[in-house]
């Protein structure tokens, strides 16, 4: 299969077979547990710094949501750099996404486990669990699967590929932060972020998840039945969810923009024909609606990174 061809190619380039068993034996689980705790404390510190600094004056929404989004943005940025450098430094990870492990990639999975554990606790402690029940379920599943991989010191390659979605999360959260601070939908900086969000969504969210789904059909015999069932159900849900989310983003940021411009042109034409200047209020109302719709669309996908 494709993965086996990659493995053969890497082995030929290196001139010798990769000893994955010795890589696993060199990793100590207690180091991973310590790093997960440090990750959790780090994000709590980031949250404390944001709380001490306070939200911008233009914020019209919930301050906790603003802080929570910023913490998520920092996680997405750090994890994205970590994952991409992992692929650059250790291309042999693709030789065996199940057995490959070293401290650099192992700690990356630990870092993400600490974040999702932190964020789950943040939601529960701030009494948001009932309103954000889907986030609670998502985080329990993700943190559980990540820690299972950390505990076994296996499937780290799968974890890294899955975490490439954080590249898109940078722009997804950035878009939402702009909306919360009332950045105009028609502004240049919002337009840049929304297009980067859509492009990165396809490259770093849809494609990696499709790759993992494909490998489920080629590597099912190398994992336990329980793990296979859990990851298969999780990926089926994530594939469907992200396809729907991508369509909603396109509809909100692209199709509604075209419809808005068409409606504005029609109102200007009507105004010119009757001699009444009503186009400006109409345009202002339209932009307000677009911002409201975009805010609603960005609320639910916030934690699907």
């Amino acid at each position: 299969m494709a993965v086996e061809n990659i493995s053969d190619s890497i082995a030929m380039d290196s001139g010798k077979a990769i000893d994955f068993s010795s890589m696993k034996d060199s990793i100590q689980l207690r180091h991973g547990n310590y790093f997960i705790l440090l990750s959790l404390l780090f994000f709590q510190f980031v949250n404390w710094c944001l709380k001490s600094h306070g939200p911008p004056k233009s914020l019209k929404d919930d301050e906790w949501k603003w802080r929570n989004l910023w913490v998520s943005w920092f996680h997405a940025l750090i994890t994205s750099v970590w994952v991409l450098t992992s692929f650059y430094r250790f291309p042999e990870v693709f030789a065996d996404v199940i057995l490959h492990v070293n401290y650099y990639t192992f700690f990356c999975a630990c870092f993400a486990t600490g974040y999702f554990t932190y964020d789950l606790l943040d939601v529960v402690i701030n009494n948001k669990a009932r309103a954000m029940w889907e986030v609670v379920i998502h985080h329990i599943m993700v943190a559980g699967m990540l820690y299972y991989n950390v505990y076994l010191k296996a499937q780290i390659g799968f974890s890294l590929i899955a975490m490439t979605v954080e590249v898109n999360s940078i722009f997804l959260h950035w878009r939402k932060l702009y909306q919360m601070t009332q950045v105009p939908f028609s502004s240049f900086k919002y337009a840049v972020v929304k297009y980067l969000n859509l492009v990165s969504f396809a490259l770093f969210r849809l494609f990696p998840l499709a790759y993992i789904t494909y490998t489920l059909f080629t590597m099912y015999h190398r994992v336990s039945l329980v793990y296979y069932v859990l990851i298969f159900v999780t990926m089926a849900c994530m594939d469907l969810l992200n396809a729907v989310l991508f369509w909603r983003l396109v509809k909100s940021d692209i199709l509604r923009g075209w419809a808005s411009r068409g409606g504005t042109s029609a109102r200007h034409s009507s105004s010119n024909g009757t001699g009444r200047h009503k186009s400006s209020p109409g345009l202002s109302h339209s932009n307000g609606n677009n911002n409201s719709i975009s805010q609603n669309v960005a609320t639910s996908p916030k934690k699907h990174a």
Side-chain angles (χ1 to χ4, degrees):
M1 288 301 185
V3 176
E4 294 173 348
N5 292 335
I6 294 174
S7 177
D8 293 340
S9 176
I10 293 174
M12 290 174 62
D13 292 339
S14 63
K16 60 180 180 179
I18 302 172
D19 187 359
F20 290 107
S21 60
S22 64
M23 296 171 68
K24 181 177 180 179
D25 293 339
S26 67
I27 304 296
Q28 296 189 37
L29 178 60
R30 61 187 177 89
H31 293 161
N33 291 331
Y34 294 152
F35 203 88
I36 290 172
L37 179 60
L38 286 175
S39 173
L40 193 154
L41 294 175
F42 168 76
F43 287 110
Q44 179 58 42
F45 174 73
V46 173
N47 180 65
W48 177 82
C49 291
L50 290 167
K51 192 172 185 179
S52 299
H53 182 272
K57 295 181 180 179
S58 59
L59 182 68
K60 302 296 182 182
D61 213 329
D62 183 15
E63 179 186 349
W64 174 85
K65 186 188 297 182
W66 174 81
R67 284 188 285 108
N68 187 263
L69 268 172
W70 263 114
V71 174
S72 296
W73 186 86
F74 277 113
H75 165 256
L77 180 64
I78 296 171
T79 301
S80 297
V81 173
W82 203 330
V83 168
L84 295 179
T85 55
S86 294
F87 292 149
Y88 177 77
R89 293 184 60 190
F90 310 106
E92 64 269 19
V93 68
F94 294 105
D96 198 319
V97 293
I98 293 179
L99 295 181
H100 177 277
V101 63
N102 59 41
Y103 268 116
Y104 192 84
T105 56
F106 180 70
F107 281 152
C108 183
C110 294
F111 183 76
T113 305
Y115 163 73
F116 283 107
T117 303
Y118 155 81
D119 202 51
L120 175 62
L121 293 174
D122 189 44
V123 170
V124 173
I125 291 173
N126 286 278
N127 299 316
K128 305 290 185 179
R130 179 174 296 181
M132 302 174 66
W133 60 269
E134 74 280 11
V135 172
V136 172
I137 295 175
H138 173 268
H139 280 18
I140 289 174
M141 293 180 65
V142 172
M145 294 298 290
L146 281 172
Y147 187 73
Y148 182 81
N149 292 343
V150 168
Y151 179 79
L152 292 179
K153 295 180 285 187
Q155 288 89 233
I156 300 299
F158 271 138
S159 298
L160 290 177
I161 294 171
M163 285 187 288
T164 57
V165 303
E166 296 301 334
V167 177
N168 169 246
S169 294
I170 294 173
F171 304 104
L172 191 65
H173 298 336
W174 201 345
R175 171 183 179 273
K176 178 58 181 174
L177 286 165
Y178 271 169
Q179 292 171 349
M180 292 183 69
T181 52
Q182 306 297 301
V183 172
F185 180 81
S186 57
S187 68
F188 174 76
K189 61 182 180 180
Y190 185 91
V192 170
V193 169
K194 78 176 182 181
Y195 285 119
L196 287 174
N197 178 43
L198 290 171
V199 172
S200 64
F201 197 105
L203 293 178
F204 294 102
R205 190 176 290 266
L206 296 180
F207 179 74
L209 294 180
Y211 175 80
I212 295 176
T213 303
Y214 164 75
T215 57
L216 290 176
F217 293 97
T218 61
M219 294 188 173
Y220 65 92
H221 58 288
R222 299 186 58 195
V223 297
S224 67
L225 179 61
V226 173
Y227 182 84
Y228 180 77
V229 171
L230 289 175
I231 194 66
F232 186 87
V233 172
T234 300
M235 291 309 304
C237 294
M238 293 299 290
D239 288 342
L240 178 61
L241 179 65
N242 281 284
V244 173
L245 172 56
F246 185 68
W247 167 243
R248 292 174 66 188
L249 288 170
V250 170
K251 187 166 62 173
S252 174
D253 283 348
I254 304 299
L255 300 183
R256 290 188 188 279
W258 292 345
S260 176
R261 285 193 292 273
T264 301
S265 299
R267 286 192 292 272
H268 276 290
S269 176
S270 176
S271 174
N272 292 335
T274 59
R276 297 177 183 178
H277 302 287
K278 293 185 178 180
S279 58
S280 294
L283 180 59
S284 175
H285 180 69
S286 174
N287 287 338
N289 285 341
N290 281 336
N291 273 334
S292 176
I293 292 168
S294 300
Q295 289 169 5
N296 291 336
V297 169
T299 300
S300 60
K302 183 253 166 201
K303 295 299 178 189
H304 296 314

